[in-house]
Amino acid sequence: MTLSRNAVSWHDEPPRTGWDLHCHTAFSDGTETPATMVRRAVDAGLEGVAITDHDTSSGWVPAERAARPEGLPLLRGTEVTAQFGRVSVHMLAYQYDPGSAHIRRMFAKTREERLVRAKEMVRRLSRDYPINWELVLGQIREGGLTTVGRPHIADALVGVGAYRTRSEAFAGAVSARSPYYIPTPSPSALEVVEAVREAGGVSVIAHPADPSRNRVLLSDDQIAALVEDGLDGLEVWHRGNPEDQRLRLLDLARRQGLLVTGGSDWHGAGKPNRLGENLTESCVVDEIVRRGSIGLVGVR
């Protein structure tokens, strides 16, 4: 089908070849370096890959250095946690100017508030589990450049034997439904879309219909409001979106003229998600690059 808003064609079935546009490294809650991400993307035969660590662009330069000699095209992005009413919304921001004042302020504020939140969660957990802040710091791979969050707390709990895996910890003590949980301090989804637009970037809602993340999903009207403010697309091809919701999102994308993307949400050993398990068509990536304010990396 052809979307009149952006002249991009895409299909109603998940792409079998293409790009993985949702990957995390040790600069946030992934377990591997950007260089490992690039190497595995090459080994998997991907056409290209995107680095999308939480609330930071710190991993971009190492990813660029790894991608260039491999000749692997690299899309640069960030996943930003936001809020729309009662719904937690994750926004993928691609190809924006990392020097934008609005973006820099937003990331700095969010990262500092994430740190305060993580310390308080650890304080609460320490009443019942043998962990402390020093053990959590031991899980952080890139020092002050790392965006600290619940995954690092989960890894500390695994380290002391409270759980076998990060996934088990997320189903238990660090779950959003546990008594130790503190919501992530977040900007509004509208502010994120505006900030990304000001920075010359492209905004896509990550896993917008994943029921494991929200008891209440984003409504069509809420997504339409974000479109009015400049939202570019929806991550339809993601393991968290059930089949019926994928059909709903595809219909919404058709009506609103939105880009349709896919990604694995790869975290290395931090999640079972397999790099390249969901993909984005190259024509959609071309449109993201066309709209963005920075060029593609890694093309010989």
Side-chain angles (χ1 to χ4, degrees):
M1 69 186 63
T2 299
L3 305 181
S4 59
R5 179 181 166 196
N6 47 55
V8 171
S9 298
W10 45 264
H11 306 285
D12 290 349
E13 296 295 325
R16 294 186 178 181
T17 60
W19 295 57
D20 190 333
L21 294 194
H22 193 164
C23 302
H24 298 273
T25 75
F27 282 90
S28 63
D29 53 351
T31 62
E32 306 295 340
T33 64
T36 299
M37 176 195 73
V38 167
R39 187 165 59 251
R40 293 192 181 176
V42 171
D43 292 344
L46 300 184
E47 294 178 11
V49 71
I51 182 171
T52 56
D53 284 312
H54 291 277
D55 303 306
T56 186
S57 60
S58 295
W60 286 13
V61 171
E64 292 168 29
R65 288 175 181 157
R68 283 196 176 95
E70 294 285 356
L72 181 75
L74 172 75
L75 209 63
R76 289 165 285 179
T78 300
E79 185 170 5
V80 188
T81 302
Q83 199 73 24
F84 198 139
R86 294 182 296 158
V87 185
S88 176
V89 184
H90 287 202
M91 308 292 299
L92 292 163
Y94 297 112
Q95 299 297 100
Y96 63 86
D97 175 7
S100 165
H102 193 168
I103 284 274
R104 290 172 67 88
R105 285 196 306 270
M106 186 171 68
F107 286 175
K109 183 173 186 291
T110 301
R111 283 162 56 83
E112 178 58 32
E113 290 178 342
R114 275 180 175 271
L115 194 62
V116 172
R117 171 238 197 182
K119 288 180 178 178
E120 176 58 22
M121 282 189 66
V122 171
R123 189 187 69 79
R124 295 181 182 185
L125 283 159
S126 66
R127 299 169 183 165
D128 301 310
Y129 294 90
I131 70 163
N132 54 43
W133 186 241
E134 286 68 32
L135 291 173
V136 174
L137 289 178
Q139 309 303 318
I140 295 169
R141 296 275 300 278
E142 300 294 341
L145 296 177
T146 301
T147 300
V148 181
R150 282 191 295 159
H152 302 103
I153 300 173
D155 291 346
L157 288 167
V158 172
V160 299
Y163 293 96
R164 291 178 297 176
T165 66
R166 181 188 284 187
S167 295
E168 283 190 4
F170 262 85
V174 296
S175 161
R177 295 175 176 84
S178 86
Y180 311 104
Y181 177 74
I182 299 171
T184 305
S186 306
S188 73
L190 287 171
E191 180 188 354
V192 174
V193 170
E194 290 170 357
V196 174
R197 188 186 68 232
E198 286 177 21
V202 175
S203 58
V204 173
I205 303 176
H207 39 70
D210 185 348
S212 71
R213 297 172 183 272
N214 283 298
R215 294 176 181 174
V216 179
L217 298 177
L218 276 175
S219 69
D220 288 11
D221 287 344
Q222 286 174 313
I223 293 174
L226 294 174
V227 173
E228 286 293 318
D229 218 48
L231 177 73
D232 292 279
L234 300 172
E235 185 183 51
V236 174
W237 311 121
H238 184 283
R239 65 161 55 200
N241 297 327
E243 181 61 29
D244 62 328
Q245 288 296 328
R246 288 184 177 191
L247 294 174
R248 171 202 160 219
L249 294 172
L250 285 170
D251 180 63
L252 185 58
R254 181 186 299 110
R255 289 187 281 112
Q256 294 285 353
L258 294 170
L259 300 173
V260 169
T261 72
S264 64
D265 211 350
W266 179 77
H267 285 67
K271 282 186 176 181
N273 308 37
R274 178 178 54 83
L275 188 69
E277 68 179 29
N278 282 293
L279 299 170
T280 301
E281 292 179 85
S282 59
C283 61
V284 175
V285 176
D286 290 343
E287 180 65 14
I288 291 173
V289 174
R290 187 190 70 77
R291 295 185 190 186
S293 64
I294 57 177
L296 200 59
V297 171
V299 180
R300 287 176 172 158

